[in-house]
Amino acid sequence: MHRYRTHTCSKLTKKDAGQTVKLSGWVHRKRDHGNLLFFDLRDHYGLTQCVIENSNNFFKQVEKVKPESVVSVVGKVVKRSAETTNKDLFTGEIEISISSFETLSSAKELPLPVFGEQEYPEETRLKYRFIDLRRQEMHENIILRSKVISFIRNEMINEGFLEFQTPILTASSPEGARDFLVPSRLHPGKFYALPQAPQQFKQMVMISGFDKYFQIAPCFRDEDGRADRSPGEHYQLDIEMSFVEQEDIFSTLEPIFYNLFNKFSKGKSVSKTPFKKIKYTDVKNFNHNVDAFPFLYSIHVSQTIQA
């Protein structure tokens, strides 16, 4: 049997009843019923309920273990009765009857519990970010970010774009904010600047003869924090296209954004392409009445003339 697990915590169903399996993960929630002790075991993939009787040699050890301790269990997959089935879980039709238990890493009292979605002060969440990211909402947000970036990358490549990674340490190229400066070890008194955008390097790529460029680019700007982004840095989809007009940009990117929002909007309606366009003259006195214009988007287009 594998040292840590034969299955993940989202894989077992009633079809696996009778199998002896090994799972590893975090103790998510415990429920003590006297003669029986239940706990939900959690890993990246999901939850599986585990149960142990007080006659089991490992009962005292399980009883003492605190939530968020990392444990490994061996046991038999048992089909739950109809009245105890948890329809909210993929594994809700089964539980693991523990025959062996090992504590891999003991947890102390937590500054914020992982179970539940209570609100906690931002200072506490950031100080204990590794715990905060275990919470279901935050964990799913990180997974969503990864899927969105992967989706965008695949769509851009399918459209014939090449992905480039431009340098981070560079000379200052001021845009709309202050630069972050990095002192040079080899040249005392001189500094690198972190890029506010990959502007110069991507344009160098284009005048070198490449036709379509994109990058999911880190951008660093020494400005005050805002409610909708981390202070000082963000990532943006950065593109360049050669020998194109404005409509070429729209016709290329609108289907990508439509597919993106349609895939990840959780059933919300998305405007079909081509998107409606609003002239500047119609909105220059726009008073931020969202009901009047339910969806606005703008796109910055850089056209590079081949030298």
Side-chain angles (χ1 to χ4, degrees):
M1 185 174 285
H2 190 274
R3 173 68 178 86
Y4 293 108
R5 63 186 180 189
T6 58
H7 299 77
T8 65
C9 290
S10 69
K11 195 170 184 180
L12 297 170
T13 66
K14 61 182 180 181
K15 294 180 181 178
D16 301 297
Q19 286 192 44
T20 298
V21 299
K22 190 168 192 176
L23 304 178
S24 293
W26 288 259
V27 176
H28 188 61
R29 182 176 60 152
K30 290 174 63 178
R31 301 176 296 284
D32 193 342
H33 291 187
N35 293 334
L36 289 174
L37 194 153
F38 297 87
F39 67 87
D40 294 327
L41 188 66
R42 186 192 77 245
D43 65 9
H44 169 76
Y45 303 96
L47 296 171
T48 298
Q49 178 172 284
C50 301
V51 59
I52 188 170
E53 298 180 354
N54 62 355
S55 58
N56 190 302
N57 293 334
F58 294 96
F59 184 84
K60 293 294 184 183
Q61 186 178 348
V62 176
E63 193 175 37
K64 292 178 181 178
V65 76
K66 295 182 183 296
E68 293 309 301
S69 294
V70 183
V71 302
S72 182
V73 302
V74 177
K76 183 175 288 187
V77 180
V78 178
K79 184 179 177 181
R80 294 201 217 180
S81 61
E83 58 270 17
T84 60
T85 296
N86 185 345
K87 295 181 180 179
D88 295 329
L89 286 181
F90 180 78
T91 59
E93 293 182 307
I94 60 95
E95 60 190 13
I96 306 300
S97 179
I98 296 174
S99 59
S100 178
F101 181 88
E102 180 184 3
T103 302
L104 301 176
S105 179
S106 297
K108 298 179 180 180
E109 291 296 332
L110 298 175
L112 66 161
V114 173
F115 173 70
E117 293 298 327
Q118 302 96 321
E119 289 298 323
Y120 295 92
E122 189 170 281
E123 293 79 5
T124 302
R125 292 177 58 198
L126 292 176
K127 182 177 181 180
Y128 301 99
R129 188 62 164 166
F130 66 99
I131 299 178
D132 184 49
L133 292 179
R134 296 180 190 178
R135 299 163 64 202
Q136 183 177 0
E137 181 181 8
M138 297 305 301
H139 203 77
E140 289 178 352
N141 285 347
I142 298 298
I143 293 172
L144 175 62
R145 175 189 172 93
S146 175
K147 289 181 178 179
V148 167
I149 290 176
S150 178
F151 181 86
I152 291 174
R153 176 173 284 114
N154 289 335
E155 290 284 299
M156 298 300 291
I157 291 172
N158 288 339
E159 288 292 330
F161 285 79
L162 294 177
E163 182 177 11
F164 290 86
Q165 285 75 41
T166 52
I168 298 298
L169 292 176
T170 180
S172 179
S173 175
E175 294 200 13
R178 292 180 295 272
D179 286 327
F180 278 111
L181 299 178
V182 180
S184 170
R185 178 177 60 85
L186 297 177
H187 304 281
K190 296 187 177 182
F191 297 82
Y192 296 104
L194 301 183
Q196 296 186 34
Q199 197 72 30
Q200 290 183 329
F201 291 108
K202 68 178 183 179
Q203 290 176 342
M204 188 184 302
V205 165
M206 299 307 291
I207 63 174
S208 299
F210 296 96
D211 194 66
K212 295 179 182 179
Y213 143 95
F214 87 97
Q215 181 180 188
I216 299 168
C219 301
F220 306 91
R221 300 175 183 180
D222 188 7
E223 57 189 10
D224 296 336
R226 305 182 190 180
D228 62 345
R229 69 189 69 174
S230 300
E233 64 176 282
H234 69 274
Y235 282 76
Q236 67 185 33
L237 173 61
D238 207 273
I239 74 164
E240 293 277 343
M241 299 172 67
S242 294
F243 305 112
V244 294
E245 298 179 314
Q246 178 173 274
E247 286 304 318
D248 297 314
I249 303 290
F250 290 153
S251 62
T252 299
L253 290 185
E254 285 183 1
I256 293 175
F257 283 113
Y258 173 79
N259 293 335
L260 175 69
F261 294 133
N262 201 46
K263 184 176 179 64
F264 295 105
S265 64
K266 296 183 179 180
K268 295 180 181 178
S269 60
V270 182
S271 300
K272 293 184 178 181
T273 57
F275 295 154
K276 294 180 180 178
K277 300 175 179 62
I278 303 172
K279 295 181 179 179
Y280 172 76
T281 53
D282 295 333
V283 295
K284 63 180 179 180
N285 296 319
F286 182 51
N287 64 356
H288 299 285
N289 181 352
V290 195
D291 294 330
F293 299 100
F295 178 65
L296 291 174
Y297 84 101
S298 62
I299 187 166
H300 174 73
V301 180
S302 293
Q303 297 186 34
T304 304
I305 305 300
Q306 303 296 334

